[in-house]
């Protein structure tokens, strides 16, 4: 048996802001909040160790600098890519330039703190 990704951890200047944004993007809920202000989000019916990884936003005072070396890719589950792009922009995502040519089949976006993520073209079934 191999390992499995159970959680992703992102440093955040404002864990509340990022947890609200990513809950809206992924349909997640807040699972836990600790005394330091770190917040874990995940599927309401799965939580930690379930089939989808949770995301932990660790409070930091250090701003993001440069492009992330690891980013999240998302796919729509119930609409086409154009409609999902419109939804993501409406909830606070913004276009990001990481050197793409414009011919890609995906859109590069940034969350409210500038963390890059990609909206891929293919629609996938919900988990």
């Amino acid at each position: 048996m191999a390992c499995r990704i159970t959680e992703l951890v992102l440093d955040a200047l404002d864990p509340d802001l990022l947890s609200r944004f990513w809950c809206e993007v992924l349909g997640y809920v807040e699972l836990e909040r600790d005394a330091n202000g770190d917040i874990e989000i995940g599927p309401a019916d799965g939580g930690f160790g379930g089939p989808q990884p949770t995301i932990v936003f660790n409070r930091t005072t250090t701003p993001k600098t440069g492009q992330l070396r690891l980013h999240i890719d998302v796919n729509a589950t119930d609409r086409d890519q154009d409609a999902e792009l419109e939804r993501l922009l409406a909830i606070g995502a913004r276009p990001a330039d990481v050197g793409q040519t414009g011919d890609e089949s995906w859109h590069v976006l940034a969350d409210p703190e500038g963390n890059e993520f990609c909206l891929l073209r293919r629609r996938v079934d919900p988990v």
Side-chain angles (χ1 to χ4, degrees):
M1 177 64 109
C3 290
R4 181 165 75 82
I5 296 173
T6 55
E7 62 185 17
L8 303 171
V9 181
L10 288 173
D11 287 345
L13 294 172
D14 187 343
D16 286 303
L17 174 67
L18 286 189
S19 67
R20 284 191 310 272
F21 175 80
W22 283 102
C23 280
E24 184 72 23
V25 170
L26 300 170
Y28 277 16
V29 298
E30 184 176 312
L31 299 173
E32 187 175 339
R33 179 183 296 251
D34 71 16
N36 297 325
D38 298 344
I39 300 172
E40 183 172 18
I41 66 170
D45 60 350
F48 178 81
Q52 297 172 277
T54 62
I55 302 175
V56 177
F57 299 101
N58 280 343
R59 184 174 300 282
T60 186
T61 57
T62 306
K64 176 187 175 288
T65 58
Q67 183 178 333
L68 292 177
R69 294 191 66 180
L70 175 72
H71 68 266
I72 297 171
D73 286 346
V74 298
N75 295 73
T77 60
D78 62 351
R79 64 197 82 204
D80 67 21
Q81 185 187 43
D82 290 338
E84 185 62 3
L85 176 61
E86 187 176 310
R87 183 183 82 86
L88 294 175
L89 293 171
I91 64 171
R94 60 186 186 276
D97 183 359
V98 295
Q100 61 270 37
T101 66
D103 294 326
E104 293 82 7
S105 62
W106 61 88
H107 295 278
V108 181
L109 303 168
D111 71 15
E113 287 196 7
N115 299 303
E116 300 88 8
F117 68 101
C118 294
L119 170 61
L120 305 182
R121 176 176 290 170
R122 187 180 319 156
R123 200 157 92 183
V124 296
D125 292 330
V127 174

